[in-house]
Amino acid sequence: MSANTHSVSYVLGIICGVASVYLILLIVSLVAKAKYPDTRLFRFCRNRDYDERQLAVRGRAAGYAYVALALTVFAYGWATLMFDMTIIDPFMGIFICIIFSIAVYVLICIFQGAYFSRIENPKSFILLFSALAALNLLIGIRFLIHGPFLEDGVLSLNAINLIVGLLVLVVDIAVIVKSRMDSRAEEIDED
């Protein structure tokens, strides 16, 4: 089956699957909020956990990410039209543009000290990011070796795990580098 021809039942199955996950998460979060209103799990990434400087950096980073998204989508569309570029599935091309935009946002926030709130410890996320990167990269490499990574010479949706794994790996490395930079700055300040 070609990458561009999926049956209606296939598409509806994906939509129902995604919708059911969101519905389950909504129900679980509403029940948990009612039972445990002060739990930290449901205050994750609220703006009140960030100081004013962090909120300003996050706003600027979002602006840069939006510009990056617009430019990459424009470049992808232009290259597709001008060079009849059919080496990437259209959905995959847009997904790559979105991933690039997310990378711009995350990297700016990390290196400007605005990715984690003031009550979160970045070092605790390194293990989580490492596990996510390893899992996605392993799945992506499996598809690269054994699965239909390319369908009719076109990069298929099976490359998503590899691309997400690379993004999470870059984020993990950025968190490690930023943590080391902050540790060295604290050592210098103590001396």
Side-chain angles (χ1 to χ4, degrees), residues 1-16 151 157:
M1 182 177 271
S2 169
N4 294 329
T5 58
H6 293 295
S7 67
V8 174
S9 60
Y10 177 81
V11 173
L12 287 175
I14 290 175
I15 291 171
C16 288
E151 293 178 0
L157 295 177

Side-chain angles (χ1 to χ4, degrees), residues 10 54 86 94 106 147-148 153 156 158 185 189:
Y10 177 81
Q54 288 177 312
T86 56
I94 296 299
V106 169
S156 71
N158 293 328
D189 288 342

Side-chain angles (χ1 to χ4, degrees), residues 61-164:
Y64 288 128
Y66 180 76
V67 169
L69 178 63
L71 290 175
T72 54
V73 167
F74 175 77
Y76 171 69
W78 181 78
T80 302
L81 288 175
M82 294 301 292
F83 304 113
D84 193 28
M85 195 173 78
T86 56
I87 58 170
I88 300 175
D89 180 73
F91 179 79
M92 194 64 207
I94 296 299
F95 185 78
I96 291 170
C97 296
I98 292 169
I99 288 292
F100 181 75
S101 173
I102 291 170
V104 167
Y105 175 79
V106 169
L107 292 175
I108 290 172
C109 286
I110 287 172
F111 285 107
Q112 295 294 315
Y115 188 69
F116 299 102
S117 71
R118 52 200 160 136
I119 60 175
E120 292 172 326
N121 182 6
K123 293 177 183 175
S124 63
F125 286 89
I126 292 173
L127 183 61
L128 174 67
F129 290 154
S130 298
L132 287 173
L135 182 64
N136 277 294
L137 287 172
L138 286 174
I139 294 170
I141 291 170
R142 184 191 152 280
F143 274 123
L144 182 62
I145 295 171
H146 300 293
F149 200 72
L150 295 174
E151 293 178 0
D152 300 328
V154 175
L155 185 65
S156 71
L157 295 177
N158 293 328
I160 285 178
N161 287 101
L162 189 62
I163 293 169
V164 169

